Amino acid sequence: MEESKILQHFEGKTILVTGSTGFLAKIFLEKILRLQPNVKKLFLLMRETPKLSVQQRFEEEVVGTELFRVLREKHGEDFKSIISSKVVPLSGDVGYENLGIADAQLRQQMWQEINIIVNSAATTKFDERYDVAFEINSLGAKHVQDFGTKCSKLDMLLHVSTAYVHGTRVGLMQEKAFCMGETLPGAKIPYLDINEEKIVIQEKLRSLQTQKLSERDITRAMKDFGIERAMLHGWPNTYVFTKAMGEMLLERLNQNCNVVIIRPTIITSTFKDPFPGWIEGLRTLDSIFVAYGKGNIKFFVGDPDSAIDLVPGDMVVNCMIAVIATHSNPINEKEGIIVYQIGSSRRNPVKYDELKWFMLRYLNNNPLIDSCGKPIKVAPPVILNTMPSFHNYISFHYLPFVQMLGLANMICCNFFESSYTSAKRRINQAMRLADLYKPYLFSQAIFDDSNTENLRMRIRGRNIDMELFNFDIKCIMWDDYLLNTHFLGIAKYVLSG
């Protein structure tokens, strides 16, 4: 398969992309439009908001972003007309049957035209409301597949999941699809009944509503309920639990259509394409970087020897494109769903201890700026390599202040109520976040990427320009990438926000 044949595969194709305002979906869209001008059509599914229509969201949150700068410069004045001739933004929601697309005529048109579906819709909050996460991450996968069964020309459904569906398991995590009803080690019950989960969510909501709670209290209760159900079945948080259920709900559509799951690890800024360092939103470790750089935290929690599994967003997209082109022909039905994991822990790991010192080195040379325009100085962080040491640190350094503030508030007839409540909330939030991030900061998992590496070797053996479709994790020099690309991208994003 030559380079032109990877791109040629998308010539004349119609593609449906869900989760179109998400990070990976935008990188995918930009690359297809830039490299394959003869793609027929791209349907982009997104939800309307109370303030923005789908078209407005598309213009502001997708093509209006810096990511499309190269494409915009390439086409100049023709940019808008080219985009409008290829891209169709759609109002819809994977949480509903028929993806929430109300126009019956449009649905029929899509069913007759679509060749490829890329399902990247997800809510990635670790502690999302259980009903919301279940609707999008679990039922959403089924609704996308059900929609795909009606597409007469469909030859590929690519489902974007996460490598962390493996939970807190230790050792080498295989590229293997889940079996329906499977639970993880540590589960308190032996079988996961997804239909039962749907029922308990409805019952929980009814119970909360009969108590006449505020929407805020219901949200808090449903977040806690998600964590409770996840841990009951062996997963550490609502996000990975509902993503695992989404995988279980997938199956081969028919003999002519392949279903492939791609599981990235922690996605970071672009490595090279369309330019280095593009990022949007703060992910797991990015939030720690910003909090440390702003002086909000002075410690790091985690196992120094734990591999923090990072992968640049453009490498994930390059892998997605290669997967779609490679699996354009039907595979052996016995093979079932194929899984590709893409990350760095197996072939080019970066240790958490290294990452912390990279952050310190960058911030010493390029400090973040406070609200007064002055550089924020950071000191070497305190290393807390166990959860008990974290709890002791909080108890010694922060709780006494909160307790004194509480006493002063009581003596002064609630004069310090606002400050006391705020301080107590920040402590509780820190403890909750530490518990949510614990599986990643103390991870003992290595993610097998044999399928992904075999795919890369197959492509490399056919004289393809690997710069254009590079997903070789071993080529990343972490000190150079983090110091000169990724952290720079985060700082730029924070400054722009």
Side-chain angles (χ1 to χ4, degrees):
M1 184 182 294
E2 298 173 1
E3 171 194 335
S4 60
K5 290 196 175 175
I6 285 188
L7 295 176
Q8 189 178 1
H9 178 74
F10 295 90
E11 186 173 352
K13 289 292 197 297
T14 295
I15 307 170
L16 167 63
V17 181
T18 69
S20 304
T21 58
F23 185 66
L24 284 183
K26 282 188 266 197
I27 299 175
F28 177 83
L29 171 65
E30 191 277 341
K31 186 146 193 168
I32 293 295
L33 289 171
R34 178 163 45 84
L35 296 183
Q36 182 44 278
N38 294 321
V39 65
K40 182 179 179 182
K41 192 178 295 180
L42 289 126
F43 289 108
L44 303 185
L45 191 76
M46 61 186 79
R47 288 178 290 184
E48 288 186 353
T49 67
K51 294 183 179 180
L52 293 174
S53 68
V54 162
Q55 186 62 36
Q56 287 173 317
R57 288 196 71 190
F58 172 67
E59 291 173 1
E60 294 181 18
E61 299 176 28
V62 182
V63 291
T65 61
E66 187 191 12
L67 176 69
F68 285 78
R69 183 187 72 205
V70 174
L71 191 62
R72 200 177 295 110
E73 291 171 352
K74 177 181 177 181
H75 293 296
E77 294 180 356
D78 296 329
F79 176 73
K80 286 188 176 181
S81 61
I82 289 172
I83 294 297
S84 62
S85 70
K86 299 289 181 183
V87 181
V88 181
L90 295 173
S91 176
D93 190 330
V94 298
Y96 296 91
E97 292 183 1
N98 289 324
L99 308 184
I101 300 170
D103 189 330
Q105 188 174 350
L106 176 59
R107 291 200 304 267
Q108 288 292 335
Q109 177 192 347
M110 294 172 72
W111 291 336
Q112 292 169 11
E113 294 183 5
I114 290 171
N115 308 109
I116 300 162
I117 296 177
V118 177
N119 180 30
S120 64
T123 174
T124 58
K125 295 178 183 176
F126 292 169
D127 62 342
E128 179 63 271
R129 279 180 58 142
Y130 189 28
D131 53 330
V132 173
F134 184 79
E135 183 179 273
I136 298 172
N137 296 343
S138 304
L139 295 183
K142 183 179 186 303
H143 292 153
V144 170
Q145 184 164 53
D146 289 346
F147 192 87
T149 61
K150 301 171 186 176
C151 298
S152 58
K153 297 179 181 178
L154 187 70
D155 56 33
M156 163 62 69
L157 167 56
L158 179 64
H159 177 75
V160 181
S161 187
T162 170
Y164 292 97
V165 289
H166 291 288
T168 56
R169 288 191 285 195
V170 174
L172 189 66
M173 304 296 107
Q174 302 291 336
E175 292 171 297
K176 179 184 175 185
F178 278 102
C179 297
M180 179 60 77
E182 187 175 346
T183 58
L184 295 186
K188 297 178 178 64
I189 54 178
Y191 183 79
L192 168 56
D193 186 333
I194 296 178
N195 289 328
E196 178 67 17
E197 290 308 298
K198 187 175 182 179
I199 293 169
V200 298
I201 287 172
Q202 294 169 346
E203 290 176 347
K204 182 70 172 180
L205 279 172
R206 278 196 296 269
S207 172
L208 293 170
Q209 288 161 356
T210 56
Q211 297 175 48
K212 296 183 180 180
L213 300 175
S214 67
E215 191 61 30
R216 183 176 179 179
D217 288 336
I218 290 175
T219 293
R220 187 181 297 113
M222 290 306 293
K223 284 185 173 186
D224 291 340
F225 189 55
I227 299 292
E228 176 188 320
R229 298 301 297 183
M231 296 182 74
L232 181 69
H233 294 90
W235 278 269
N237 60 58
T238 310
Y239 168 54
V240 294
F241 177 44
T242 52
K243 289 296 285 184
M245 286 192 283
E247 288 193 17
M248 291 178 196
L249 290 168
L250 294 174
E251 57 187 355
R252 285 290 301 276
L253 296 181
N254 55 57
Q255 292 183 347
N256 298 315
C257 177
N258 295 320
V259 178
V260 178
I261 296 171
I262 185 166
R263 293 174 180 162
T265 53
I266 299 172
I267 302 172
T268 57
S269 61
T270 52
F271 183 63
K272 283 190 177 178
D273 200 19
F275 52 85
W278 185 75
I279 193 168
E280 192 172 61
L282 299 176
R283 286 159 179 78
T284 312
L285 294 171
D286 304 336
S287 300
I288 295 175
F289 172 85
V290 173
Y292 177 50
K294 288 185 173 182
N296 294 333
I297 62 170
K298 304 181 187 302
F299 56 85
F300 282 84
V301 184
D303 180 357
D305 295 323
S306 177
I308 301 298
D309 205 314
L310 310 177
V311 57
D314 53 331
M315 286 194 173
V316 178
V317 166
N318 289 341
C319 185
M320 291 165 60
I321 290 173
V323 165
I324 292 170
T326 302
H327 291 290
S328 57
N329 297 318
I331 57 177
N332 188 323
E333 190 172 357
K334 292 180 181 178
E335 293 184 33
I337 295 175
I338 293 181
V339 177
Y340 288 91
Q341 292 179 166
I342 180 165
S344 55
S345 57
R346 188 176 183 195
R347 299 183 190 276
N348 189 12
V350 57
K351 299 294 185 182
Y352 187 39
D353 189 58
E354 296 176 280
L355 194 64
K356 290 179 288 194
W357 298 119
F358 286 149
M359 288 185 186
L360 175 62
R361 183 173 158 191
Y362 178 87
L363 291 167
N364 277 339
N365 294 327
N366 309 276
L368 300 183
I369 306 302
D370 66 16
S371 57
C372 299
K374 295 180 180 179
I376 303 169
K377 294 182 179 180
V378 296
V382 175
I383 310 301
L384 307 172
N385 56 14
T386 64
M387 286 303 287
S389 67
F390 166 70
H391 289 293
N392 290 338
Y393 185 86
I394 293 293
S395 298
F396 183 77
H397 290 274
Y398 292 94
L399 286 184
F401 168 74
V402 175
Q403 291 165 350
M404 288 176 61
L405 195 58
L407 180 61
N409 183 56
M410 184 173 62
I411 293 172
C412 298
C413 302
N414 296 327
F415 183 79
F416 299 106
E417 181 66 27
S418 177
S419 298
Y420 172 61
T421 302
S422 177
K424 192 166 63 171
R425 185 173 61 248
R426 285 199 298 269
I427 294 292
N428 292 336
Q429 181 69 2
M431 303 290 276
R432 184 181 178 88
L433 287 175
D435 285 334
L436 288 173
Y437 286 141
K438 178 183 174 182
Y440 310 94
L441 303 178
F442 293 89
S443 174
Q444 298 299 316
I446 302 296
F447 296 102
D448 182 28
D449 61 351
S450 298
N451 289 343
T452 304
E453 181 65 7
N454 289 340
L455 174 66
R456 191 184 69 80
M457 295 301 290
R458 196 186 326 167
I459 291 173
R460 192 180 73 170
R462 296 177 182 177
N463 299 318
I464 290 175
D465 182 357
M466 292 307 293
E467 285 295 310
L468 200 57
F469 298 102
N470 180 24
F471 52 97
D472 181 9
I473 296 297
K474 290 178 72 174
C475 78
I476 302 175
M477 301 294 291
W478 288 114
D479 56 346
D480 179 63
Y481 168 70
L482 291 169
L483 293 170
N484 299 316
T485 299
H486 184 59
F487 293 156
L488 191 65
I490 298 174
K492 184 177 180 181
Y493 176 78
V494 170
L495 190 63
S496 66

